[in-house]
Structure formats: C-alpha cells, structure tokens
Amino acid sequence: MGRMRWVNRASWGWTILALAAATGCHSGPPAARSEPWNVVVLMVDTLRADRLDLYGYRRPTAPHLAELARSGIVLREARSQAACTYPSVNSMLTSRWPQHFLNRQDAFGFSIPDDTPALAEILAARGYSTAAVSASWIVRKTPSKINPGGGFGRGFQTFDESCLERPGDCVNAQAEALLDRLPQPFFLYLQYLDTHQPYRLPAGYTKRLATNLRGHPWALRGDVQHLTRGLYDRDPRSAFDADDVETLRDLYDEKIAYFDERLAELMARLQRGGLMETTIVVLLSDHGEELLDHGQWGHCRDIAYETVLRTPFVLWVPGGPHGIERSGLARDLDLVPTLLDLLHLPYDPKAFAGTSLRPLFERDPDLPEISFALQGTNRVASDGRYKVWLDLAGGPPRVYDLRIGEHTPAINPDRPAVNRLAQALREWIEREEGQTKDGNLRRARENEMQLKALGYL
C-alpha cells in the first residue's frame, strides 16, 4: 500500500516527500477491508483547473496538490454541472442535475429539498459520524446574508459555520478539532472559500507568485467588484486597464497558492493521526473563474466557458490506485455513487444522475460519455473534444473544438460527433426541465434576479 509522508520544508512550507512503501504505478482495485474507510471531501470554491500546474499551468500554483495527485488519482477532464455555488454544490452532494434545484427554488431557496437525500444523510444512515466546516455564504446550515434559508445541515451531526468568509487556516483549525473527537468511520466535508473573490490575501501571508503587482489601489487590494461594475454596469467611474487585469489574475493565482499550503497542512494532520491509511480524500471544486479570457469576469451570470466549468478532481484511496491519470469525462455529480462504490456500500444506481467513476480508476475504458451543464440562460454539452452551446435567450447554437478553444467556432468539425452532442443536449433539456423554451428562459432569468437581489451578483 502506498504511503505519503508530509514534512516541513523551508521553501514550500509543507510538502509530500514520496511513496515510502511502493514504487511504480499501481492501477488495481482497492484492497478489501474488514473495517469501513473514512471519507474527507475538500470542496474548494472557485478553483479553476487550468490555473493549476497539475493541469498544465505555467506557474507552480499548487505543488502540494500536484504531489497528492501523483500519489493518487487525477481526473483530467472533470466538469461541474453549473458555474455557481448554488446549484453546483447541491448537485454534487446529491448526484442530481441542477434543474432539480432550480425548478424548485421558489419552495426551497438555495437549500437541498427535504425529499432529496444528500451524501451526509446516506452515510449517517450507514453508521458514519458526519461533520462539516464551511466558510461559504451559500453552503450553510443556518441563514446567511446570501442564503436566507440555510438548509445544508441535514445529515450532519456537526455543521461548523464559525469560519464564514474566513481563510483556510480557520477551516483547517476547526477540521483538526473535529478530527480529534470524530468516531470512526467518519465523513468530514470541508468547504474552503480561499480562491473566491475578492482576491485578498490574509495578513502576514508572504506572496510567492504575485510579487510584481501594478495597477490601481482597488486592484492591488484584489477588489473585483470595481472591475465588474465597469464591465457589466458600464459605470464610467469603474474604468480599468491591462495592469489592473493582470494584477487581479496574479492575485487569483496567489490565492490558489495560499490554499495549497492549507491543503498540505491538513494532509500532514491526517498523516500524523495515521488516517491516510484509512481515509478516502477527494478534492474538487464547484466551478472555476473567468478572468477576462472571453471578455467576462467571475462566475455565475451567463458564463459557461470551460474557464468556469472545467474543475479539478483528485482522489486518494488507501491501498488503491496511485500515480493514475485518466482523461475520461468525469462530473461533480459522480461523487456520491463513486464514494458509495469505493466504500462497498450497496445503492441503487437509478437513484442518481451520476455514475460511479471506479471503472475509470481500475482501467481506462473508452466510453462515449457526455457532460452537461447550465448557467443562466446557457445550456452546454461536451464530449471532451467538442462542445455544443445553446443560449435560451436566442441565437444559433455554437460549436467549439476544445483543443483550439472557445474564442472562435469550430471549423469543419466532426459532424456526426456534433450532431450526437446536439441531440443529447436537446433531450437533456426536455427531460430535466420539461418546459417550453420560453418557460426555461423565464426561469433562468428569475433565478439570476434572485441572486442579484441577495447581493451575490
């Protein structure tokens, strides 16, 4: 069984040394256990995959995450199902499509509906201790200024909200306190807010990437709202220039680096407690962040580029595959059935929209998978190569070749592949939304208006 050791290094803070008990690459199934594994899910709000060196970025923004991936499993083509925390996290924790929540928002707000089992409830019913720490305005047990209804605490015996809007060191401190007293087996869910705007670094943190910043004072403070007011509200008092944009991009990268250090600290705590040999660790994100790559900024709104939909998905499975990279499509809503499969817990596959990714870990099947997502008025389908984009507000569908990017439509695409995607997208919309195009458009705009009214946009 591969084992990680995390130690102190002056240059990086904490890092993984090596797999001490294994060499080479192991791709077999996890060994059978007489005792159930623990589960730790790290949900990093607004973490964009292609700003990580693990996913080919030019900067070493997250070397500790890259090392964790080298000793575990990395899914290179993972996608979120929405580019906004709500309903993306709802979808991830229940394995339901976003429409399941958006269509019922008038009744349940941002919360998970009472009749929809979430991961914490499922595991609690199987004898797991369950706990969460969330820094998010959205993912709350009790109301917040953004989520007036709360509604994410069901199934959690402990739901710690004391780190609201606070950095990852607060989340880690609360998580470590929980680890000291949680009976095994346990499920621990941690929602970090570090890479979410504003891109303000904690006091005392020493930057290692964003060291040559230029621009207006608001940009140097990581204040994204000034830029978005100029971009979306056409406020003449909110002008910005290239230096401001580059500074905000650098600060976003620096916030990733800050979180990466917190990741190393948490993994060190699991290692010291002997938990890495008994705990599945999953890191993923609800969405990424558009950084003016396509003329827009942030997430939510009507943004559905890969910058906001392509997200990291990394797993550590005790005694299981390590050094594994898979290019097959994966979706955040595959998390629940994947964990139940890895834990050898029986479940009805028809109860979930997602599917177990375990076959991807044990082999690399060439399966014709499609990932769907929505955001605002946009609906998209992708097979990892091509992407079909439909805007309910009007205009012809767009087709992109993702090997080239989303700045210009695909030239001479594979027509059968594109037709298959377009047909699948139409069927998905009809099946999950069950309304006319006008009805879907009205609902999408109502959802966005509610976000604006709550101050989220």
Side-chain angles (χ1 to χ4, degrees):
M1 174 173 62
R3 184 178 181 183
M4 297 182 298
R5 183 175 299 165
W6 299 73
V7 299
N8 198 352
R9 279 189 179 176
S11 59
W12 295 110
W14 291 80
T15 189
I16 304 174
L17 281 182
L19 289 167
T23 59
C25 184
H26 170 61
S27 60
R33 277 178 48 81
S34 57
E35 299 296 328
W37 282 323
N38 308 306
V39 177
V40 175
V41 172
L42 313 177
M43 218 300 300
V44 191
D45 202 311
T46 322
L47 183 57
R48 173 174 157 176
D50 68 353
R51 303 293 282 202
L52 300 169
D53 41 320
L54 170 62
Y55 286 84
Y57 188 44
R58 59 181 174 82
R59 279 177 158 172
T61 50
H64 301 113
L65 175 58
E67 192 66 34
L68 176 64
R70 283 193 290 271
S71 60
I73 306 158
V74 57
L75 303 174
R76 296 209 158 272
E77 295 296 334
R79 301 293 194 282
S80 63
Q81 280 58 73
C84 216
T85 301
Y86 165 80
S88 179
V89 171
N90 309 55
S91 181
M92 181 192 74
L93 291 176
T94 64
S95 192
R96 300 291 187 98
W97 291 111
Q99 294 94 328
H100 180 77
F101 311 98
L102 292 169
N103 292 341
R104 308 169 79 188
Q105 187 171 321
D106 290 341
F108 293 98
F110 294 165
S111 67
I112 296 174
D114 297 339
D115 60 356
T116 306
L119 181 58
E121 290 179 284
I122 296 169
L123 293 180
R126 306 296 179 89
Y128 275 70
S129 305
T130 56
V133 183
S134 176
S136 170
W137 308 279
I138 298 290
V139 183
R140 303 270 299 170
K141 177 181 180 179
T142 61
S144 73
K145 63 182 181 181
I146 302 298
N147 180 2
F152 283 84
R154 207 170 63 251
F156 287 106
Q157 295 152 3
T158 300
F159 200 108
D160 190 310
E161 301 175 327
S162 63
C163 294
L164 178 64
E165 298 188 71
R166 296 182 64 185
D169 56 357
C170 178
V171 176
N172 277 5
Q174 299 306 103
E176 291 191 20
L178 286 167
L179 288 169
D180 288 337
R181 64 177 189 267
L182 272 177
Q184 299 189 48
F186 62 76
F187 166 49
L188 178 60
Y189 175 84
L190 305 178
Q191 177 126 356
Y192 295 86
L193 201 65
D194 297 297
T195 48
H196 195 285
Q197 53 184 271
Y199 313 139
R200 295 173 190 155
L201 294 160
Y205 173 75
T206 301
K207 297 191 292 291
R208 65 175 177 84
L209 298 174
T211 57
N212 187 29
L213 302 179
R214 299 181 300 276
H216 291 92
W218 57 265
L220 297 172
R221 295 193 301 268
D223 180 4
V224 175
Q225 287 189 349
H226 186 102
L227 182 147
T228 55
R229 282 196 300 268
L231 189 64
Y232 295 108
D233 300 336
R234 306 290 189 240
D235 186 342
R237 297 167 297 178
S238 299
F240 58 90
D241 58 28
D243 284 343
D244 298 324
V245 171
E246 202 56 39
T247 285
L248 291 173
R249 288 172 173 169
D250 284 351
L251 288 173
Y252 176 77
D253 286 352
E254 196 67 63
K255 292 298 292 291
I256 296 175
Y258 170 80
F259 166 75
D260 190 60
E261 292 186 6
R262 308 291 78 74
L263 169 67
E265 290 169 358
L266 182 68
M267 293 300 102
R269 169 61 180 84
L270 294 174
Q271 183 73 31
R272 289 195 307 271
L275 292 171
M276 291 305 295
E277 297 178 359
T278 59
T279 303
I280 297 173
V281 178
V282 186
L283 182 145
L284 70 174
S285 180
D286 52 350
H287 54 76
E289 186 85 323
E290 167 78 3
L291 303 173
L292 218 63
D293 308 77
H294 306 89
Q296 301 203 56
W297 198 283
H299 53 276
C300 294
R301 303 185 187 274
D302 285 325
I303 308 174
Y305 294 104
E306 295 297 279
T307 53
V308 295
L309 293 177
R310 187 166 175 242
T311 51
F313 203 136
V314 176
L315 300 97
W316 161 264
V317 181
H322 58 260
I324 299 298
E325 296 184 4
R326 291 294 187 245
S327 58
L329 281 175
R331 304 162 300 185
D332 280 1
L333 57 68
D334 295 327
L335 175 69
V336 172
T338 298
L339 287 175
L340 296 179
D341 196 1
L342 289 172
L343 295 170
H344 302 285
L345 296 175
Y347 67 95
D348 179 5
K350 295 179 181 179
F352 303 119
T355 58
S356 172
L357 299 173
R358 186 174 176 180
L360 274 181
F361 310 157
E362 299 174 2
R363 59 189 185 280
D364 199 359
D366 184 19
L367 299 176
E369 293 291 339
I370 297 175
S371 177
F372 302 104
L374 60 76
Q375 186 54 52
T377 63
N378 296 306
R379 307 291 184 267
V380 300
S382 170
D383 62 4
R385 165 70 187 280
Y386 293 108
K387 181 174 180 176
V388 173
W389 183 324
L390 175 65
D391 188 345
L392 300 178
R398 287 174 274 173
V399 177
Y400 295 109
D401 184 340
L402 297 180
R403 297 182 308 176
I404 299 172
E406 296 172 280
H407 292 285
T408 58
I411 299 174
N412 297 322
D414 181 334
R415 290 298 174 187
V418 170
N419 290 339
R420 179 174 68 94
L421 277 176
Q423 178 64 25
L425 180 58
R426 285 193 296 269
E427 293 174 353
W428 179 68
I429 293 172
E430 292 172 0
R431 181 176 67 250
E432 300 301 326
E433 303 190 37
Q435 300 179 30
T436 65
K437 180 178 177 181
D438 289 343
N440 294 336
L441 175 60
R442 183 176 62 256
R443 168 56 64 183
R445 287 178 170 162
E446 288 173 353
N447 293 148
E448 184 166 328
M449 287 175 62
Q450 291 184 45
L451 287 171
K452 288 182 178 179
L454 292 167
Y456 197 64
L457 293 179

